């Protein structure tokens, strides 16, 4: 079955970097665009970034543009999010999600990122 | 950016009630909208895609309607397991945007 497993979250100081990963299995990873979506504690869902199936197209939310970079390795069925210059308002659970050309259908369980000194 | 205005932000209802949640888009998005259910500590679960298509495995008491700028999620007869927060999401353009969420609570 389709499985997405995020990792890499943790506590990090403001201004530092963190790299999240999402391991995909149970489907042809290279055939799907992939998203990152986040949710701050007690808040709603916020779309973060998307990457096309082949990595040629990347889009970002204004709130992370220039600080975050989405990438993928189709040979390893892995999606990544490099987060630089982290701020306290980046604190959230980060989800990866599969895009079947409509709204995302499958989501991981999420990984918590806490930005605090 | 396309703004998604979801209402109400919360509602109290009883088991068996009919519940309606609305999302309004700031511009025409055709049928490019989906609905999600999220329970505390869990990932969102897709209920509806392309405005009215029911996700496989989702009970038929859930339905979606609308097009253009106004969309509705209806739960025809609320069940105990339906108490959760619901979100709409547009995929017509980037950035993708969610509604603010509707928390459905037990009356």
């Amino acid at each position: 079955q389709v499985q997405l497993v995020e990792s890499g979250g943790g506590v990090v100081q403001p201004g530092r970097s963190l790299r999240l990963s999402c391991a995909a299995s149970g489907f042809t990873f290279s055939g799907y665009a992939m998203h990152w979506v986040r949710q701050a504690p007690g808040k709603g869902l916020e779309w973060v970034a998307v990457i096309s199936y082949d990595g040629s197209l990347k889009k970002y939310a204004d709130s992370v543009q220039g600080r975050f970079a989405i990438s993928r390795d189709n040979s390893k069925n892995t999606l990544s999010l490099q987060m630089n210059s982290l701020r306290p308002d980046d604190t959230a659970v980060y989800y990866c999600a599969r895009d079947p050309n409509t709204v995302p259908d499958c989501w991981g369980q999420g990984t918590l990122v806490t930005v605090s000194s | 950016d396309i703004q998604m205005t979801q209402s109400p932000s919360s509602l109290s209802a009883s088991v068996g009630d009919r519940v309606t949640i609305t999302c309004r888009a700031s511009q025409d998005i055709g049928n490019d909208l989906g609905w999600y259910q999220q329970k505390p500590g869990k990932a969102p679960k897709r209920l509806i895609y392309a405005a009215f298509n029911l996700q496989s495995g989702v009970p038929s008491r859930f339905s979606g309607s609308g097009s253009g700028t106004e969309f509705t999620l209806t739960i025809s007869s609320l069940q105990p397991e339906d108490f959760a927060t619901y979100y709409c999401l547009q995929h017509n353009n980037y950035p993708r945007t969610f509604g603010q969420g509707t928390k459905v609570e037990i009356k």
Side-chain angles (χ1 to χ4, degrees), chain B residues 24-78:
Chain B
R24 288 186 173 86
S26 59
Q27 63 189 67
D28 190 335
I29 61 170
N31 287 339
D32 297 338
L33 182 116
W35 290 96
Y36 293 90
Q37 177 193 68
Q38 188 181 31
K39 296 182 178 179
K42 300 295 187 181
K45 172 186 174 183
R46 192 173 78 168
L47 301 175
I48 301 287
Y49 63 96
F52 55 82
N53 291 276
L54 190 67
Q55 174 71 30
S56 175
V58 172
S60 60
R61 62 181 179 272
F62 291 92
S63 64
S65 63
S67 67
T69 62
E70 187 153 341
F71 301 86
T72 299
L73 173 70
T74 299
I75 310 172
S76 60
S77 178
L78 198 65

Side-chain angles (χ1 to χ4, degrees), chain A residues 33 35 37 39 43-47 50 57 59-62 95 99-110, chain B residues 1 32-36 38 41-46 48-50 55 87 89-91 94-100:
Chain A
H35 298 263
V37 175
Q39 186 169 36
K43 302 297 184 181
L45 299 166
E46 180 188 15
W47 177 81
V50 65
L57 174 68
K59 297 283 190 181
Y60 299 93
D62 287 347
Y95 297 99
D99 184 327
N101 285 327
T102 64
V103 291
D105 57 351
C106 299
W107 298 57
Q109 85 288 350
Chain B
D1 297 2
D32 297 338
L33 182 116
W35 290 96
Y36 293 90
Q38 188 181 31
K42 300 295 187 181
K45 172 186 174 183
R46 192 173 78 168
I48 301 287
Y49 63 96
Q55 174 71 30
Y87 295 92
L89 169 64
Q90 67 81 17
H91 69 100
Y94 288 108
R96 300 290 195 247
T97 43
F98 289 90
Q100 302 94 320

Side-chain angles (χ1 to χ4, degrees), chain A residues 6-10 18-21 83 111-113:
Chain A
E6 301 93 339
S7 60
L18 203 61
R19 187 178 183 87
L20 305 183
S21 294
M83 304 186 295
T111 188
L112 176 62
V113 172

Side-chain angles (χ1 to χ4, degrees), chain A residues 16-27:
Chain A
R16 303 298 291 266
S17 299
L18 203 61
R19 187 178 183 87
L20 305 183
S21 294
C22 170
S25 60
F27 66 102

